[in-house]
Amino acid sequence: MPVQKKPPVNHRKSHVKLRTLADLARHMGVSIGKLQALAEQLDREREHTSLYRSWEQPKKSSGTRPIDAPRGELMRVQKLVNHTILQRLAVHPAARGGVRRRNLLSNVTPHIGKKMVATYDLENFFLTVASARVYELFCSVGCAPDVAHLLTRLTTFKGRLPQGAPTSPMLAVLVAGSGDHKSLYNRLQNLADQHNSDFTIYIDDITMSGPSYLDRLSRTIERIVQQSGFKINHKKIRFREAHEQQAVTGVVVNEKPNVFRTECRRIRTILHQCKNGVFPQDRIALKQHLRGKIAYIQSVNPEQGMKLLEQFNPIDWVSASSEDS
């Protein structure tokens, strides 16, 4: 049976000792008055608060998803909650996204060279996590009820986790993965172990890889997810055998981590156009976009990324920009 290496825990703890609001204020380095004032403003202004900017984000396939991004002081406080509390808590070894020192590459490497790769998507993952579950989570990790209540008020919006808040990814991971053997992550891990498979989850993307019959476990996985209070997006279920292109969170994993060929070809085409002086109007924005894409490709496939970087570096972006002005 293949053994999946667990990421380092980095001295994470299962509990925090926040017995009073004064403990919370000292731990975060923010006054009780500031924390309470923000919570009271959220309670008072409710869904139309100036502390959030809300809009509908188009999905890649169809429809939209609601985005609620915190502003100003609330954003700063949420970042502190994430840094000083959430990121110090122990998480399930299968959790990858939203967890410090775990990344996209650590999510794909356990699934390289498997007979079958099965992927599932949790539908409206953040929106499914209600405020009550967040409050229970804070209580379970050692916060006194009034501390848990204040933290819940500061990290939830419209009665659930806001998609766009820096605290939401880790809170979702903790809610889904904490607790006893009945938690979503533990039940999926047990199922994977029973079938000599590897299991990881990147925010709302579930991946299981192993024997060629993993597609037969689909109903069991859906039942586990549903019993845990979540829902599978049936349109995004994928089963890929070794002779097909197997992808995990956008990375090809048949033999080694790799980027889709179509994406690399697209980047090469744009770089070739730029080399020949064909630029869109906003060249600096294009430079930043391409550099980010190449950095991502380098993180997945260093050799491929270096080839693209060799095309990128000789382009005279500064002269090109000055010609526009």
Side-chain angles (χ1 to χ4, degrees):
M1 171 181 172
V3 178
Q4 179 179 330
K5 293 183 179 179
K6 296 182 180 181
V9 295
N10 299 312
H11 307 293
R12 292 178 178 272
K13 299 179 180 180
S14 59
H15 287 80
V16 292
K17 294 181 180 180
L18 298 174
R19 299 302 183 189
T20 66
L21 294 179
D23 289 341
L24 176 64
R26 282 193 299 270
H27 187 77
M28 291 180 57
V30 182
S31 69
I32 299 175
K34 173 61 71 176
L35 297 177
Q36 290 179 324
L38 285 171
E40 288 168 5
Q41 184 177 346
L42 288 167
D43 293 342
R44 183 173 62 253
E45 296 177 350
R46 297 182 180 274
E47 295 185 8
H48 303 290
T49 179
S50 59
L51 292 174
Y52 278 97
R53 185 168 65 94
S54 302
W55 71 94
E56 292 291 326
Q57 180 77 36
K59 295 181 180 180
K60 289 184 178 180
S61 52
S62 62
T64 62
R65 64 167 54 88
I67 304 295
D68 299 297
R71 290 173 164 174
E73 193 65 18
L74 180 62
M75 170 68 88
R76 188 179 80 86
V77 165
Q78 288 185 353
K79 286 182 177 180
L80 283 172
V81 172
N82 186 51
H83 176 71
T84 64
I85 300 175
L86 303 181
Q87 291 294 340
R88 298 184 181 186
L89 291 170
V91 292
H92 194 281
R96 297 295 192 264
V99 184
R100 189 177 298 146
R101 294 187 176 89
R102 304 185 192 180
N103 53 32
L104 187 68
L105 198 58
S106 72
N107 184 58
V108 305
T109 49
H111 308 294
I112 296 172
K114 299 300 179 64
K115 292 183 178 180
M116 175 170 280
V117 173
T119 57
Y120 302 82
D121 177 84
L122 295 174
E123 189 170 7
N124 297 324
F125 185 40
F126 291 167
L127 308 187
T128 307
V129 181
S131 299
R133 298 184 74 175
V134 175
Y135 172 77
E136 291 171 2
L137 181 277
F138 279 124
C139 289
S140 70
V141 298
C143 295
D146 57 340
V147 175
H149 182 57
L150 179 57
L151 286 171
T152 301
R153 292 160 69 195
L154 293 170
T155 57
T156 59
F157 186 50
K158 300 176 182 177
R160 37 77 173 167
L161 286 182
Q163 186 153 335
T167 45
S168 292
M170 192 62 175
L171 280 172
V173 165
L174 288 165
V175 167
S178 63
D180 57 16
H181 63 282
K182 294 182 180 180
S183 74
L184 173 62
Y185 287 12
N186 282 331
R187 292 185 66 185
L188 290 176
Q189 185 67 68
N190 290 337
L191 182 67
D193 292 343
Q194 290 170 17
H195 295 275
N196 296 331
S197 301
D198 285 293
F199 156 66
T200 63
I201 184 163
Y202 193 88
I203 308 294
D204 55 359
D205 291 308
I206 298 171
T207 305
M208 200 171 290
S209 62
S212 57
Y213 63 79
L214 283 183
D215 53 331
R216 301 176 195 170
L217 303 180
S218 184
R219 289 187 179 180
T220 302
I221 290 174
E222 184 173 359
R223 184 174 66 252
I224 290 172
V225 169
Q226 187 174 12
Q227 290 174 349
S228 300
F230 301 101
K231 184 180 179 181
I232 291 288
N233 185 344
H234 291 93
K235 295 180 181 179
K236 294 188 177 181
I237 297 176
R238 300 287 185 274
F239 305 109
R240 293 290 183 265
E241 296 184 82
H243 66 274
E244 302 174 283
Q245 188 178 64
Q246 298 171 322
V248 176
T249 49
V251 177
V252 179
V253 296
N254 290 73
E255 297 178 0
K256 63 179 181 179
N258 215 338
V259 181
F260 287 111
R261 292 179 181 177
T262 53
E263 179 66 4
C264 287
R265 281 198 296 266
R266 186 182 74 85
I267 300 297
R268 280 197 301 267
T269 299
I270 296 174
L271 289 171
H272 181 72
Q273 292 172 341
C274 293
K275 182 181 178 181
N276 292 326
V278 181
F279 295 87
Q281 186 172 355
D282 192 346
R283 303 180 186 189
I284 295 302
L286 176 64
K287 176 185 177 181
Q288 294 172 344
H289 170 75
L290 290 175
R291 191 63 189 88
K293 286 288 186 180
I294 293 171
Y296 164 72
I297 293 171
Q298 276 187 297
S299 70
V300 175
N301 186 329
E303 182 180 354
Q304 184 65 52
M306 185 56 65
K307 290 179 180 178
L308 293 174
L309 194 60
E310 289 172 354
Q311 287 184 262
F312 176 90
N313 284 334
I315 298 173
D316 190 349
W317 300 96
V318 176
S319 298
S321 300
S322 62
E323 291 172 6
D324 285 338
S325 55

